[in-house]
């Protein structure tokens, strides 16, 4: 009631009701589609469930600024080494630059020697996977989310060799 459509609205275009109905339907369903979540939602979930990545991993901070970049999640492992977690919900070629730059920039900023870098993504296409494997010390985790009512319920985690 009270919704009007512009005169260029054609029969093949979805109505506003159809758009909103589809949106409501999508958040009510269960899915594993990472396009239904944001990187911040993934970050929020992982901060509360770091043990999914590694036992003994402790949260330090999030969105940590370094020169020319921002680390998604900073943690510490059982051996008191800093761990940089770079999260992705979709393919992002910038991941290669982040893996090359973030560890050294963080080491320089914090005056520490040993820093680990773990990338966490739903998929690693070959054009990203092959170069990542050539970067020394990069650890890769692939995840499949279980999403219900628009919220992450759990993550299926597997390490990429």
């Amino acid at each position: 009631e009270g919704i009007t459509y512009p005169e260029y609205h054609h029969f093949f275009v979805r109505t506003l009701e159809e758009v909103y109905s589809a949106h409501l339907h999508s958040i009510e369903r269960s899915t594993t589609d990472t396009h239904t979540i944001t990187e911040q939602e993934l970050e929020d979930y992982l901060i509360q469930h770091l043990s999914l990545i590694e036992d003994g991993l402790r949260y330090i901070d999030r969105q940590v600024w370094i020169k020319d970049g921002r680390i998604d999640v900073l943690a510490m492992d059982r051996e008191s080494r800093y761990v940089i977690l770079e999260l992705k919900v979709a393919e992002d070629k910038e991941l290669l630059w982040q893996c090359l730059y973030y560890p050294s920039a963080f080491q320089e900023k914090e005056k520490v020697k040993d820093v680990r870098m773990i990338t966490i993504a739903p998929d690693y296409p070959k054009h990203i996977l092959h170069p990542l494997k050539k970067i020394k010390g990069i650890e890769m985790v692939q995840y499949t989310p279980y999403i219900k009512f628009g919220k992450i319920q759990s993550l299926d985690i597997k390490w990429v060799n």
Side-chain angles (χ1 to χ4, degrees):
E1 186 176 320
I3 296 175
T4 59
Y5 298 97
E7 62 182 64
Y8 57 84
H9 180 81
H10 299 289
F11 69 91
F12 58 87
V13 177
R14 291 169 64 182
T15 66
L16 290 175
E17 292 92 345
E18 290 169 329
V19 169
Y20 288 121
S21 176
H23 177 68
L24 287 172
H25 185 259
S26 73
I27 63 173
E28 291 173 356
R29 291 185 359 197
S30 297
T31 184
T32 59
D33 184 1
T34 58
H35 294 97
T36 63
I37 60 171
T38 65
E39 200 169 285
Q40 182 174 345
E41 290 169 327
L42 177 62
E43 187 177 300
D44 292 342
Y45 183 83
L46 274 175
I47 285 171
Q48 299 300 316
H49 301 90
L50 283 175
S51 62
L52 288 173
I53 304 301
E54 182 175 290
D55 284 334
L57 209 53
R58 296 182 319 270
Y59 170 75
I60 302 292
D61 203 356
R62 68 194 300 173
Q63 299 302 311
V64 177
W65 283 97
I66 54 174
K67 185 180 177 190
D68 298 321
R70 190 172 53 213
I71 294 168
D72 290 334
V73 177
L74 184 64
M76 189 160 288
D77 67 14
R78 285 186 288 205
E79 297 173 17
S80 297
R81 290 180 294 184
Y82 285 105
V83 180
I84 295 170
L85 302 174
E86 185 56 37
L87 314 178
K88 300 295 175 193
V89 293
E91 180 180 325
D92 186 352
K93 293 178 187 172
E94 191 172 295
L95 181 60
L96 296 167
W97 174 81
Q98 291 167 320
C99 288
L100 288 167
Y101 180 71
Y102 285 7
S104 62
F106 182 79
Q107 286 172 318
E108 186 177 313
K109 177 185 174 189
E110 297 297 323
K111 310 288 188 249
V112 295
K113 291 185 179 186
D114 199 11
V115 176
R116 294 172 57 201
M117 174 105 184
I118 301 175
T119 65
I120 302 168
D123 190 31
Y124 291 92
K126 288 182 183 180
H127 64 277
I128 293 176
L129 179 63
H130 291 300
L132 274 179
K133 285 186 171 185
K134 294 180 188 278
I135 302 172
K136 184 180 178 194
I138 300 301
E139 302 169 67
M140 293 174 277
V141 169
Q142 188 171 343
Y143 71 91
T144 303
Y146 175 66
I147 303 160
K148 189 169 185 178
F149 302 114
K151 294 195 181 267
I152 301 171
Q153 302 298 309
S154 64
L155 295 177
D156 181 29
I157 299 288
K158 75 175 188 180
W159 288 86
V160 178
N161 296 327

